[in-house]
Amino acid sequence: MKVPLSKPDITQKEIDAVVEVLKSDILSIGPKIEEFERKIADYVGKKYAIAVNSGTSALHLIVRSLGIKDGDEVITTPFTFIASVNCFLFERAKPVFVDIDPDTLNMDINKIEEKITEKTKAILTVDVFGQPMDMEKVNEIAKKYGLKVIEDSCEALGSEYKGIKAGTLCDAGAFAFYPNKQITTAEGGVIVTDNEKIAQLSKSMRSQGRPITGLWLEHERLGFNYRLSELHAALGIVQLERIEEIIKRRSEIAEKYNERLKDVKGVKIPYIAPEVNKMSWFVYVIRVDENIDRDKVMQYLIDNGIGCRPYFTPVHLQSYIKELTGHKEGDFPITEKVARSTIALPFFNKITDEQIDYVVDKLKEAIKIYSR
């Protein structure tokens, strides 16, 4: 049996929407992106949504809009996808890492204040695997020290913490729509904010620094080609219309895995904080005990046709980050311990019970073989 790690959930509705755009005369900078932005803003409850070509682009434009620059420091987590750090390295700002909570795998809020210096300009939080942080506490710290707050919710569209949607309790939040995300635009991302200045600057910079209203070849500032096409936006509109159905299905799949794995010796299923009243699952990541050879378990799964990945390699141990920052193994022990133990299992809407059972059976076999 072949079980891929992920697969987008595309129906005929999405195909028809994209074909409709292809038959039109407008493939970029048209009504579909405006509609998609309105619907995203309404869904998360923010005034503005600025769609771009990736979550990385969304984060980068937020950083630039907040004026974060060379020499500034940004507090963030070492347990994340690399874009969460690249977005301010592009502006020559310095990452200051905070180790993670061993249960939620999000940045440990209790360790943030000790990392703040006179050079600190912002806190960039990450809602790891779709689990949102306690942003009220983060904002209390930020207010105390006069810091900006960016919420990287690229993995958490639809999640809620104490009834508050991820990506909304901050100066600006970002979501991403890569094919393995809850909804996809194939490639794409979006900035959400109530701050008009951030919205206007982001709209200008995503399109070569053009003014919001002005001549096509007039440019007010340094900008980028970060636009999202009408094709991608049309796909996103239909996906967003289906988001509650998609989130519900992903929750059902996570629960199926939980039921099958909760009593398996040597396996730790994902922990969801009780304050997370709605979990929008991005991936399903287990952890294996230290006496189990994680890498060999993964290879066994791969050899049996099962897609899997180690989520995540610590950012501070990536080769170029080590060169930039001087970090070394042992600097963030919880992150490193967790990273050595994680396995992302196949997780997508159309996975069958038969496939889930096959994955679990092969995982059990591998654990039995490769326990030290």
Side-chain angles (χ1 to χ4, degrees):
M1 185 181 293
K2 298 289 185 182
V3 191
L5 179 61
S6 65
K7 185 188 297 185
D9 182 357
I10 302 297
T11 71
Q12 190 61 44
K13 288 182 180 179
E14 285 89 342
I15 295 169
D16 291 343
V18 172
V19 170
E20 181 185 347
V21 173
L22 285 170
K23 290 179 177 178
S24 75
D25 295 327
I26 305 173
L27 301 185
S28 185
I29 315 178
K32 290 298 181 182
I33 191 170
E34 292 179 358
E35 181 183 352
F36 183 50
E37 288 173 335
R38 285 195 306 272
K39 289 185 173 180
I40 285 285
D42 288 345
Y43 178 72
V44 301
K46 303 302 282 183
K47 289 182 181 178
Y48 307 102
I50 305 91
V52 291
N53 60 4
S54 71
T56 307
S57 299
L59 290 167
H60 184 208
L61 292 184
I62 293 170
V63 168
R64 283 188 66 88
S65 296
L66 292 174
I68 296 169
K69 59 187 185 305
D70 192 355
D72 292 343
E73 294 180 353
V74 180
I75 290 174
T76 192
T77 171
F79 190 73
T80 182
F81 182 60
I82 196 69
S84 306
V85 175
N86 283 346
C87 64
F88 50 87
L89 287 179
F90 295 154
E91 301 304 314
R92 298 183 179 276
K94 177 186 175 184
V96 176
F97 296 115
V98 171
D99 213 347
I100 61 174
D101 178 280
D103 295 321
T104 67
L105 311 186
N106 285 329
M107 183 164 51
D108 189 336
I109 295 174
N110 297 318
K111 295 178 180 177
I112 291 176
E113 284 194 79
E114 65 191 52
K115 296 298 183 79
I116 295 172
T117 73
E118 60 182 17
K119 293 182 180 180
T120 307
K121 293 297 186 293
I123 302 170
L124 189 152
T125 65
V126 180
D127 300 326
V128 174
F129 303 152
Q131 176 154 212
M133 287 188 64
D134 184 345
M135 295 304 292
E136 290 181 334
K137 288 185 178 179
V138 173
N139 280 311
E140 286 175 9
I141 296 170
K143 185 177 180 181
K144 180 178 177 182
Y145 294 94
L147 306 177
K148 300 297 184 182
V149 176
I150 304 166
E151 189 173 0
D152 179 347
S153 295
C154 288
E155 300 173 359
L157 183 67
S159 287
E160 296 180 7
Y161 189 98
K162 295 182 180 178
I164 299 169
K165 277 192 168 68
T168 62
L169 277 187
C170 51
D171 290 281
F175 298 102
F177 308 122
Y178 190 71
N180 64 347
K181 296 297 195 299
Q182 291 87 343
I183 70 169
T184 185
T185 57
E187 293 278 4
V190 69
I191 298 158
V192 295
T193 185
D194 284 333
N195 186 305
E196 184 177 8
K197 181 180 178 183
I198 292 173
Q200 296 293 337
L201 285 172
S202 295
K203 283 184 179 181
S204 172
M205 288 188 292
R206 78 172 172 190
S207 191
Q208 306 289 9
R210 294 187 180 103
I212 303 307
T213 56
L215 297 174
W216 180 248
L217 294 179
E218 295 293 326
H219 304 270
E220 293 181 337
R221 57 186 56 84
L222 176 65
F224 310 88
N225 187 355
Y226 284 173
R227 292 189 302 268
L228 188 73
S229 79
E230 289 288 282
L231 298 168
H232 295 89
L235 175 56
I237 289 166
V238 180
Q239 286 267 290
L240 187 61
E241 289 171 354
R242 299 179 52 223
I243 189 167
E244 295 306 325
E245 161 205 335
I246 290 170
I247 290 173
K248 181 175 183 290
R249 174 59 181 156
R250 292 171 87 88
S251 294
E252 290 170 354
I253 295 163
E255 188 54 37
K256 289 175 187 290
Y257 270 127
N258 284 342
E259 284 299 314
R260 289 161 172 78
L261 293 172
K262 65 182 181 181
D263 296 323
V264 176
K265 188 176 180 181
V267 171
K268 183 174 182 179
I269 63 175
Y271 169 86
I272 305 301
E275 295 85 357
V276 176
N277 61 287
K278 184 177 181 181
M279 178 66 180
S280 180
W281 291 83
F282 162 51
V283 285
Y284 187 87
V285 179
I286 62 164
R287 290 151 66 183
V288 296
D289 287 351
E290 290 182 275
N291 67 320
I292 296 168
D293 191 323
R294 190 275 310 269
D295 292 346
K296 288 184 178 178
V297 168
M298 288 181 59
Q299 190 58 54
Y300 187 87
L301 296 178
I302 292 167
D303 290 344
N304 282 277
I306 297 170
C308 57
R309 292 287 188 279
Y311 269 60
F312 291 106
T313 300
V315 173
H316 69 284
L317 297 182
Q318 304 279 357
S319 59
Y320 77 101
I321 300 293
K322 288 166 69 175
E323 290 178 15
L324 283 170
T325 64
H327 281 305
K328 61 187 183 306
E329 203 164 330
D331 284 351
F332 302 100
I334 299 174
T335 292
E336 293 167 26
K337 181 179 180 181
V338 168
R340 288 191 296 268
S341 70
T342 57
I343 305 175
L345 298 178
F347 189 74
F348 51 94
N349 277 19
K350 294 180 181 179
I351 194 170
T352 65
D353 285 358
E354 182 183 15
Q355 287 175 315
I356 293 172
D357 288 340
Y358 178 72
V359 171
V360 171
D361 288 344
K362 292 302 176 184
L363 177 64
K364 289 178 179 177
E365 288 176 12
I367 287 172
K368 188 174 182 179
I369 295 169
Y370 297 113
S371 294
R372 299 184 183 96

